[in-house]
Amino acid sequence: MISADKIPNNVDLHLNKRLQRALEHWQPAYIQWWRDMGPQGFQEYHQVYVRTAVSVDPSGWAHFEYVRLPEYRWGIFLADPVVNRTIGFGDFFGQPVWQEVPGEFRNQLRRLIVTQGDTEPASVEQQRWLGHRCPSIYDLRNLFQVNVEEGRHLWAMVYLLHSYFGRDGRDEAEELLARQSGNRDKPRILDAFNEPIDTWLDFFMFTMFTDRDGKSQLLSLSESSLDPLSRTTRFMLTEEAHHMFVGETGIGRIIERTCELMKEAGFSEDVRRIGGIDLPTIQKHINLWFSLSLDLHGNEISTNAAAYFANGLKGRAEEVKWDDHRVVESIYKLETVRDGELKAVEVPMRNAMNEVLRDWYVGDCQAGVDRWNKIFERHGLSDRLRLPDRKFNRGIGQFAGARFDPFGRALSDEEWARRKHEWLPNAADKAFLLSIMNTPIYEPGRFANYIAPPARGVKGRPINFEYVRTEV
Ligand SMILES: [Fe+2]
Ligand SMILES: [Fe+2]
């Protein structure tokens, strides 16, 4: 039986019997999914020190306690309404926002919500074996924190489907548990969510770059005219920030340790032989995850994106920072490939909204890479990491059919095939990473040799706190 206690919420769930029944029906399937597809081997006998969202009060929206993972309280929270909020962009600019789904946009909105919703459980599935290779229990706890919150983001989308999309919405909510990452017959919707994440370098890159695509998407959905969607995604962004913190600081700590090892090895880059992760390997993983995450923003020129914007369904990140919110006349200059040649073309900005969002994303990623590069500076090392050119290794959009190196220089297919493993992780890199992650570290306060400890612990707890403990 679901009670307001069992599902923390600020949507007066107990007053809405129809919705409560629908979620009661869905919840056991969710828990079964979590047990089957969530963190493997950490369901029964482990207690994890996690935060749980209990309100949207900025001064104290979460509380921290030990929980067994299947007993985590996945809640439903909408950010507080903005009084007299009006539509911020597109053809209906200035009109009151919608509290119900307009019939003519029902399919488009459902598609947006389902696509976002599908990524949330997908990432949990991708990461379900990682616990067995953890570099510390501090990191193990962070992995599980990210996982339970992605589960909560699924709840958030399912809440919208159940509340506003009737029968179709309920069917979609079931499908969200039926598709599985990497499943041949029923894969997850977006390709990037069908590959397992089996090393911690990949996990940190995923949370740095792919969760940041989540931030792009959530920022643009938080502008939506559909007010419940806006409020739901606004609150999700609060949690999302922590996921990117895990990624950015995770890589930062690896870089820190690599710098130490490079000095130990007499300023040699060859830190693999002393168990560190060498910079070329880190750079290759940046190249991979950045390019995959660029793809997630979709085609540069898109009539869907134009319709989403025109209809007020999905805006730009930080829409208030723009001057023109209708964007009827503006054009966007786009680099593209025509007949094998790079060429600048001008397109109506509405059609380039995916690219506009990608611009925001690239800037946000660059700021993170700049912060990483400060670590080298602090160590007095001249090495630097960089984002690859956005044409590099693209599978979606204008550049998908062409080949470029990380500096944006065009390559022949033959040259690409010969050289791509200079820029992207290969089987030997993977084997090396797995070899140094073979033995999980469960002793409080100890860290794997390839990663530095964090600057501080979680929520004022010491670094050597027992963030994950085994039940006796
Ligand atoms: Fe999420
Ligand atoms: Fe996330």
Side-chain angles (χ1 to χ4, degrees):
M1 174 72 189
I2 291 177
S3 67
D5 282 321
K6 193 111 197 257
I7 303 180
N9 72 87
N10 68 350
V11 296
D12 287 335
L13 196 54
H14 63 290
L15 298 179
N16 188 339
K17 293 294 171 213
R18 187 191 57 78
L19 178 60
Q20 193 174 346
R21 266 198 305 277
L23 289 171
E24 272 176 12
H25 186 76
W26 187 77
Q27 194 201 29
Y30 172 82
I31 296 292
Q32 193 58 50
W33 165 82
W34 175 268
R35 285 181 176 279
D36 294 344
M37 298 304 290
Q40 297 299 293
F42 295 91
Q43 302 275 348
E44 298 302 332
Y45 307 110
H46 293 81
Q47 297 216 353
V48 187
Y49 187 72
V50 282
R51 76 175 179 191
T52 305
V54 290
S55 78
V56 294
D57 183 353
S59 64
W61 59 273
H63 77 90
F64 288 73
E65 62 182 348
Y66 280 108
V67 292
R68 287 175 67 239
L69 290 178
E71 287 162 12
Y72 186 79
R73 300 196 311 155
W74 285 280
I76 297 168
F77 294 99
L78 272 58
D80 287 335
V82 174
V83 183
N84 296 327
R85 181 171 171 248
T86 54
I87 294 174
F89 61 93
D91 293 344
F92 309 113
F93 179 71
Q95 296 180 15
V97 290
W98 315 320
Q99 299 306 328
E100 292 293 333
V101 175
E104 65 268 44
F105 304 136
R106 193 183 163 89
N107 288 344
Q108 287 181 335
L109 280 163
R110 194 183 59 207
R111 182 167 159 196
L112 281 171
I113 292 167
V114 166
T115 308
Q116 176 65 39
D118 195 67
T119 65
E120 314 286 359
S123 67
V124 177
E125 294 167 355
Q126 289 174 289
Q127 296 160 14
R128 69 187 186 275
W129 294 103
L130 268 177
H132 297 286
R133 303 197 177 103
C134 68
S136 73
I137 54 170
Y138 164 85
D139 292 289
L140 186 62
R141 175 265 167 207
N142 282 350
L143 166 68
F144 296 154
Q145 182 69 63
V146 170
N147 291 160
V148 291
E149 286 177 348
E150 300 305 3
R152 205 201 67 74
H153 292 174
L154 172 61
W155 274 87
M157 294 298 109
V158 164
Y159 162 77
L160 293 174
L161 290 169
H162 275 164
S163 301
Y164 299 98
F165 294 88
R167 179 71 206 262
D168 302 353
R170 290 196 292 280
D171 290 347
E172 292 285 9
E174 296 198 354
E175 286 296 303
L176 283 166
L177 295 176
R179 284 186 291 271
Q180 276 175 10
S181 178
N183 186 301
R184 208 177 303 159
D185 302 321
K186 270 186 167 272
R188 291 295 174 184
I189 295 171
L190 301 171
D191 273 349
F193 291 86
N194 282 307
E195 292 293 324
I197 293 172
D198 46 14
T199 81
W200 279 76
L201 185 59
D202 290 284
F203 170 66
F204 291 134
M205 291 292 177
F206 180 96
T207 40
M208 171 73 182
F209 291 111
T210 308
D211 274 289
R212 196 175 305 276
D213 159 67
K215 182 180 172 188
S216 292
Q217 304 302 332
L218 293 176
L219 278 173
S220 64
L221 291 173
S222 71
E223 302 289 339
S224 183
S225 311
L226 180 61
D227 203 40
L229 175 59
S230 163
R231 292 172 56 199
T232 303
T233 45
R234 239 188 310 139
F235 183 66
M236 288 161 76
L237 282 163
T238 315
E239 292 161 315
E240 206 59 58
H242 174 67
H243 306 177
M244 283 168 291
F245 164 85
V246 169
E248 186 178 325
T249 57
I251 298 296
R253 289 160 50 214
I254 288 175
I255 295 169
E256 178 74 35
R257 183 64 184 143
T258 297
C259 288
E260 287 170 17
L261 290 170
M262 280 164 70
K263 287 184 183 168
E264 251 173 57
F267 290 92
S268 152
E269 294 222 333
D270 185 14
V271 295
R272 277 197 188 191
R273 53 186 180 81
I274 46 177
I277 303 180
D278 52 302
L279 293 180
T281 302
I282 296 173
Q283 181 63 59
K284 284 180 183 182
H285 283 76
I286 293 174
N287 295 348
L288 175 67
W289 285 101
F290 178 70
S291 56
L292 287 175
S293 305
L294 285 178
D295 276 347
L296 289 172
H297 289 74
N299 274 302
E300 288 83 356
I301 303 173
S302 162
T303 49
N304 272 338
Y308 292 156
F309 188 86
N311 298 335
L313 311 184
K314 185 179 172 188
R316 290 168 290 190
E318 302 167 323
E319 184 64 45
V320 294
K321 292 190 180 166
W322 295 81
D323 292 327
D324 170 17
H325 299 295
R326 292 181 193 270
V327 197
V328 180
E329 317 247 276
S330 315
I331 51 139
Y332 184 91
K333 259 202 188 134
L334 190 74
E335 191 182 23
T336 185
V337 183
R338 291 284 148 86
D339 306 320
E341 297 284 305
L342 279 178
K343 222 179 144 189
V345 294
E346 295 191 340
V347 294
M349 191 187 250
R350 282 188 176 189
N351 291 66
M353 283 302 173
N354 287 339
E355 190 67 3
V356 172
L357 192 57
R358 195 161 14 236
D359 288 338
W360 179 88
Y361 173 79
V362 172
D364 211 45
C365 289
Q366 185 61 55
V369 173
D370 292 344
R371 287 189 290 272
W372 287 340
N373 282 334
K374 293 247 157 52
I375 303 171
F376 296 107
E377 272 175 44
R378 203 163 17 80
H379 280 270
L381 295 171
S382 60
D383 305 86
R384 296 292 181 267
L385 295 164
R386 57 191 304 280
L387 294 176
D389 186 272
R390 65 167 95 183
K391 298 187 286 299
F392 172 77
N393 192 40
R394 295 292 299 280
I396 288 174
Q398 305 283 313
F399 307 117
R403 302 299 188 186
F404 298 90
D405 75 6
F407 302 94
R409 285 185 292 251
L411 301 174
S412 66
D413 283 352
E414 179 273 324
E415 196 175 4
W416 168 259
R418 188 158 46 80
R419 298 188 61 194
K420 68 175 179 184
H421 286 306
E422 291 174 29
W423 308 308
L424 291 169
N426 57 31
D429 297 326
K430 171 67 74 74
F432 170 73
L433 290 172
L434 289 174
S435 77
I436 59 170
M437 296 176 188
N438 236 340
T439 316
I441 294 180
Y442 297 132
E443 192 186 312
R446 251 193 78 204
F447 291 82
N449 180 53
Y450 63 84
I451 191 167
R456 59 192 67 84
V458 177
K459 194 68 185 168
R461 303 281 166 176
I463 290 170
N464 63 2
F465 185 69
E466 194 171 14
Y467 289 104
V468 180
R469 67 184 186 200
T470 314
E471 283 177 320
V472 277

